[in-house]
Structure formats: C-alpha cells, structure tokens
Amino acid sequence: MADVIIIGGGPAGASAAIYTARAGQETLVFDKGGGTTRDVETIDNYLGFPEGTTGPEIVQLGHEHAERFGAEFVEEEVIRVGQDGMRYSVETDENEYTAEGLIIATGGSYKTPGVGNIEAFENNGVSHCVECDAFFYQDQTVGVIGAANYAAKEALLMLDYTDDVTLYTNGSELEMSAELQERLDREGIPIEDAPMDHLEGNGELEQVVFRDGEETDLDGLFVAVGQAGGQDLAEMLGLPTDGNYIEVDEELNAGMDKVYAAGDCIGGNRQVASSVGEGADAAINLLEEMRGATYVDYSG
Ligand SMILES: Cc1cc2nc3c(=O)[nH]c(=O)nc-3n(C[C@H](O)[C@H](O)[C@H](O)COP(=O)(O)OP(=O)(O)OC[C@H]3O[C@@H](n4cnc5c(N)ncnc54)[C@H](O)[C@@H]3O)c2cc1C
C-alpha cells in the first residue's frame, strides 16, 4: 500500500518522486534498471552541470535526492496495472501493490520484434495488449512474442480465453524468472525459440513463417517484447495512446482520475530537462487532485 506509485526511476520518475515524497505522500518508485538515461554517456545540456555529466550520474543523484524525502525505490519490473476499487493495483514480477495515485514515467519505447510484415497485420491479428484484445481470440490459436517476465504473464493471462497458446522468443534468450517458466510449463504453454521471418495472411493474420522455412498457423500474435512499456501499461488501464506514446492533457493527466504520465513515454522534446519538468508537473497536479483542490483557471 502506498499513496503514490511511480513507474519508472529515470529523470521523470525521480523528479516526480521528489515532489510527492516531500509533500508527505508515501511514494514507491518502480525501477527495473536500464532505461534511456542510464545509457547516455555524455549529457552536456542539463542545468547545473557546467562541465557536462553522464546519464547514470543523473539517475543516481535523482534517486538519492528523492530518497532524502522518503521515496522508496523498488527494483522490480511492473508487468500489470489495473483498478482495485478506488485505488490502482500494480503487479510486479514479485509482488502486488496498490496506491491512490499513479504516475507513469517508463521512458521511450524502442521495442520492435523485427518480424517481416508485422505492421501490415496490426489490429488484424497482431495486438499489443492481451487485456484489451484477447476476448476476440476465444478458443483460437494464439502466440505471444517475447522472452521476459512480461511475455510470460501475457501468455498466462491468455489462458482465460484459449488453451492454444504458444510463447515465441523469436530467437531471443529467455530472461524470465524460474517461477514463471515453471508456471508456463505447468499450464502447458510451450516455448518456441526459432526466429520468425515474416507473417502471412489475406488481410487477417493466418500464419507465421520461420527463418528455417517452417510455418505455423496463427490467428493472433500478441507482442510482449522486453518489459511492459508506458503504452502497454496505459492500454491495460484503457487509457488513450498515440502510437508508442501515452496521450495526456495539459495537466499531464492520462485520461483517468489520479493517473498522470511524464517523460519520454509521452513524446514531446524527449530531453532530460523536459522529463524532469514533466515529472514535477505531473506530481504537482496529482497532489492537487489528491487534496481534492479544484483547478482554477486564471487565464481569462
Ligand atoms: C543516444 C541518446 C543520447 C541522448 N542525449 C541526451 C542529451 O545529451 N541531453 C538530454 O537532455 N537528453 C538526451 N537524450 C534523451 C534523454 O536521455 C531522455 O529524454 C531521458 O532519458 C528520458 O527520461 P525518462 O525518465 O522519461 O526515461 P528513462 O530514463 O528511459 O527512464 C525510464 C525508467 O522506467 C523504468 N521502467 C520502464 N518500464 C518499467 C517497468 N515495466 N517496470 C519497472 N520499471 C520500468 C526503467 O527501468 C527506467 O528506470 C538522449 C537519448 C539518447 C537515446
């Protein structure tokens, strides 16, 4: 249980956490590691570092700063979000949590399964959200493409709709927990590791062709590559997305009470400074909503 859950511990998430924790809200920040900032070797244009700095240093200092006000960073991967009465539930690869408010700061999405023709079957057999679209594949033959915890969870969730589910790693090494591998095995979900070449079908997806020339019939293919990104999490909550980005209004609200998004996951200028500013704005606006304050428009 927390007051605020922030998904993402990059500049956007850490900046938001400084505000919510400093305002006395119990704040959990989920950070599974990685993210764009940690990969950047030189950052020359961020305020306060006249000699330049590195992405890992910015992330490290951001965590220390937010921790000073009591924010807790949790090194777990969020694989599912949902509603739990008046609160939001957040499931990780290890635990379940709830919070009154949610800030999504998962960074940019650069995931692509690298399968020929996949775009041609978007919404005609290819989906990015089991929660949203599995219903349309009841008792059909379905694949989930991915090799990590998120893919395993999506494949297991699919069992509510069909027993004919296969997990395709597409040649990637399995990165999922032993517990999830055992659950897949127990539930009879096979794991195929052959790399896919391309998809085929007449308007609707019909089959996948592997690089070794083998073919398999498929009615649906759910993309769950890497971790659940902002777009995936937004779709689980039924929030509007625009391509890989979460759509937000001027207040950075993502379309649901007390749910905000900030940083690269909402598009925009995609800079450290922008992400930090958006994290602060999202937190301030969430805090205002949590206090029940009414927004006053002074512009006119
Ligand atoms: C090559 C390159 C160079 C760049 N150079 C500059 C530069 O010089 N100056 C500049 O201002 N900007 C630069 N940028 C852009 C800048 O790095 C980004 O705008 C900024 O890092 C975005 O911060 P963020 O907090 O939105 O996301 P990120 O830093 O990507 O952080 C996202 C966080 O979310 C976490 N996360 C994601 N999904 C989950 C999940 N399911 N569960 C748990 N945790 C999750 C990740 O672990 C990570 O902690 C550069 C980008 C690139 C690619």
Side-chain angles (χ1 to χ4, degrees), residues 7-13 30-38 40 42-45 76-79 105-108 110 227-229 233 262-265 270-273 275:
I7 308 174
F30 290 94
D31 182 351
K32 69 165 289 291
T36 305
T37 316
R38 284 190 177 98
V40 182
T42 312
I43 294 182
D44 249 351
N45 52 2
E76 292 173 20
E77 177 188 347
V78 174
I79 44 192
T106 45
Y110 300 97
Q227 69 212 17
L233 299 174
D264 280 10
C265 66
R270 297 182 68 147
Q271 288 288 288
V272 172
S275 300

Side-chain angles (χ1 to χ4, degrees), residues 91 118 121 141 160 169 174 202:
E91 189 185 334
I118 196 159
F121 294 100
T141 304
D160 289 344
T169 69
L174 272 190
N202 193 3

